Amino acid sequence: MAEIRQGRGWSLRRKLVLITLLPLLAAGWWGARYLEGLERQLRQAEERTQTELGRVMAAVVAHSTLPLEIPPATAGGHLWAPRLATPPQLDGYADDWQPLQHQLPTHTLHNGTLRVAAHGTDLWLLLEVRDSHPNWCSPLPTASLKCDHLRLDLQTADGSLNVWRLATSAPGWIETHRWGGSPGFPFTIQGQWRETRGGYRVELRIIGGTAARALAVEAIDLEENRPTETPALLSLAIQPESWQRLLEPLLAPGQSLQLTDRNGRLLVRAGDATVSPRLLDESPGWLFGLYRLVTGMARSEVSPPPPRSVLKEWAGATPPAVVWRPIRESRLALLTSLHLLHNGEGEELRLVLARTGAQLLLLQETAMARLVGAGTVIYLLTVALLLAYATRLSWRVRRLRDAVSASISEQGQPLHTPPPLPKGKDELGDLGRAFDDLLERLRHYTRYLEVLASRLSHELRTPTAVVRSSLDNLETLPLPPEAGTYARRAREGVVRMERLVTRLGEARRLETALHSTPRRRLALDSLLRDLVEGYRMSHGEQRVVGKIVSPLPVVGAADLIAQMMDKLVENAIDFSPERSTVRIEAEQTDRNAVIRVINEGPPLPAEGPDLFGSLVSIRRREGAHLGLGLFVVRMIVEYHGGSLSARNLEQPTGVAFIVELPLPEERGQDPSNGRGATPHE
Amino acid sequence: MSKKIAIVEDEPAILANYCDLFRREGYEVTGYADRPSALRGFAESLPDLAILDIGLGEEVEGGFELCRELRSRSSTLPIIFLTARDSDWDAISGLRLGADDYLTKEISLPHLSARVAALFRRQRALEAGAQESPKVRTAGHLSIDEARFRVTWRGEPVDLTITEFWMVSALSRYPGQVKSRDQLMQEASILVDDPTITSYIRRIRRKFQQVDESFDAIQTVYGVGYRWNNG
């Protein structure tokens, strides 16, 4: 098989994949950018709607005649108490507070938490205190209160302050101790004290407590031994029912509104902007992950998780401002906007409108996520298909290349029975057919060249016959001596010419012989030994030596192998210096019987024409050398399925002609012309 | 009365040379350049021996046609094919048509005339029949009648051409002795290349094998030549 030189560049497959992948990647990138743009536009539309809605709400609030009380400025922060639909049971348990948890602001004390709610005119407090060793008070009420207790300060609208100490000797109802303040106090306090894991809980009901405008709660732990000082008062804003009634109907589900004073203290809250967990669970997370990945939303568009309070962050902001905040796993966004307004008394208020837009956004994102998902799947599918197609195309081209290279022998001649070229109905198939045509023509041409010699031989035979018969006749006549000399020279010439003519026809005669000579199993070693003996007899003992290894079974035609050896030895003798030795060696390799005919003649040129072609003679030597001998050798070797090569030798210099004939398969089918294996001929 | 030889050959120079040769040797020679003229000549009178070329002008196989025609008129008339075609296939076809020998054109005139003389000798011997004492020689199962050019193997006749007969004769004369190809050529009055000798030998073996499948008296001595083995 002739090796076709392979290019060093990229393979067709790689190029095809690259060419197809680049636009696909570009399309993918463009798709991602498109989605990103679409998303941004949708969000902008949402923001505009939000801003408008906020403005309307602000107008409603500004023009409302409902009273809105601004709590007094205090040192300790702000507490906002929502209105409860039903009052909790005063039992010291937190269960009935639990459902309200998400809308109940929790105030943190230094050793616990405080929650406040209102119902009617009562104020409810739930206090959770961390205390590993509660110290109960002694059963008798004492003024010293050497035990863990609570201090509760309440300030009314007129600024009067009342202080209580609440203590108990056992879980249950609490004793209250007035600890100063103005007399005629309007409040009554009830309470339940419960031990909890790692502390205690106190549930308080302050009857008429909605009249308070500020409060302070401190859990005093005997072991902490903190210096007793007046706790900082927290301003208290209780959800005004009138405002809630006004605003609730204006808000759509999923919207919430908060009204704060200039300092961000919550005064009114309406609506609910929490997202139902069901909705969150319905959306497939991986799709959103992919969506976020593609659009890059997670990084650029959505702010980091909110600080503890939106209100605080916006305390100094210039409204209207809109911001997106991620809710839970950054999948859904909460749209929040801030608006400024002034109420009838010229007091500056801030309005924070929040909207999950859960349904809308969720649907939107689901649709987009689906789009991205489907797009990605199609994209991957296309890439896979293109890859497969490119691979197949490349494979077909490579197969064609291999088939073409397999159709031409190492000597550059088209094989007579080449492997079939791959066919198809497309251009590659056409290329295969074109190659077929080309090879066929090459085959014809090679054939023409090969038979040229025998044609020449045939055509030359008649004129040589004319010369020879004329000379034969001439010699029967009485000739002057000079004429006899010329006639003799002419005869020598014609004899040589006849020999050439015969040789020219040899290849053709051999081809005929090949078709009619059966191959059978024979002992190559004994055949070679006989031949070597013969050569020693005809060329002299010194001239030819043999080194034959036994056994060497081959399947072949003895006559042809003998003819082949004749040619090789003749060639070796012709090209080696006189009195040098021609060596004939034979041995067995894994799969072949190897015959080497070695002469000590001049080396072959490194690069040159095919030595074993018809009419090729490389080394110049006096005498006729048509270069047909090795061609005959090649024909015989090919007929036997073997291979032929020539190699220059270094020590001693010379040339080796190497014939490799395949060994018969052991015990296998005899590949001869249908005849059974017969013992050595 | 001299013998009549007909030569059919489309190359005038060769035809003239052959005619001259045989006339000098005392034969009566008629030369024809193509098949129709040869047919006309044969219709008048049959020659005693015919030398035919195969390709005659336009007729690629005109010689074969003529051979068939002559054989139908006479089963004993010696016919020699003398042609430029050297393929085994042509030789086999020619001999199958009943030719007595198949020669290629590089044969020398002396070799050619030796064959012609041999064929006439054979004819004379056949005509003389039993009157002439037969020169029969035996070697193993082979018996050779040198006068009538007849060979039998185990009593069965083997049909050989003159060239083949001479080769068998030469080989079997000294059984066990190796005859080189050159020697064989000399004995058989031909001058050809080695592969042609090989194919001659192959053809001879095949003819003996048609009579006796186990025939293996002709042995190849690779690198040297052949020898007859009486077994």
Side-chain angles (χ1 to χ4, degrees), chain A residues 461 469-470 472-473 509 558, chain B residues 17 24 84 86 106 109 193 222:
Chain A
R461 195 160 259 157
S469 55
S470 301
D472 281 345
N473 275 327
R509 281 201 301 282
Chain B
N17 276 343
R24 208 166 37 243
D86 61 354
E106 66 255 5
L109 289 189
D193 60 351
Y222 288 108

Side-chain angles (χ1 to χ4, degrees), chain A residues 1-2 408-415 446 609-613 634 638 643-645:
Chain A
M1 186 210 280
I408 294 175
S409 72
E410 272 174 15
Q411 281 78 35
Q413 285 170 330
L415 300 180
T446 314
D610 171 23
L611 194 61
F612 307 110
R634 193 188 98 199
E638 280 177 1
S643 66
L644 175 62
S645 57

Side-chain angles (χ1 to χ4, degrees), chain B residues 171 178 201 205 216-222 225-229:
Chain B
L171 279 170
V178 178
I201 294 289
R205 276 190 190 131
D216 67 343
I218 302 176
Q219 288 183 332
T220 310
V221 183
Y222 288 108
Y226 302 92
R227 79 178 150 215
W228 187 271
N229 194 342

Side-chain angles (χ1 to χ4, degrees), chain A residues 528-548:
Chain A
L528 289 177
R529 266 188 213 104
D530 288 350
L531 284 169
V532 170
E533 263 327 293
Y535 299 140
R536 285 163 75 91
M537 277 164 69
S538 44
H539 296 288
E541 300 253 320
Q542 267 70 51
R543 207 64 215 279
V544 182
V545 292
K547 191 176 140 200
I548 318 289

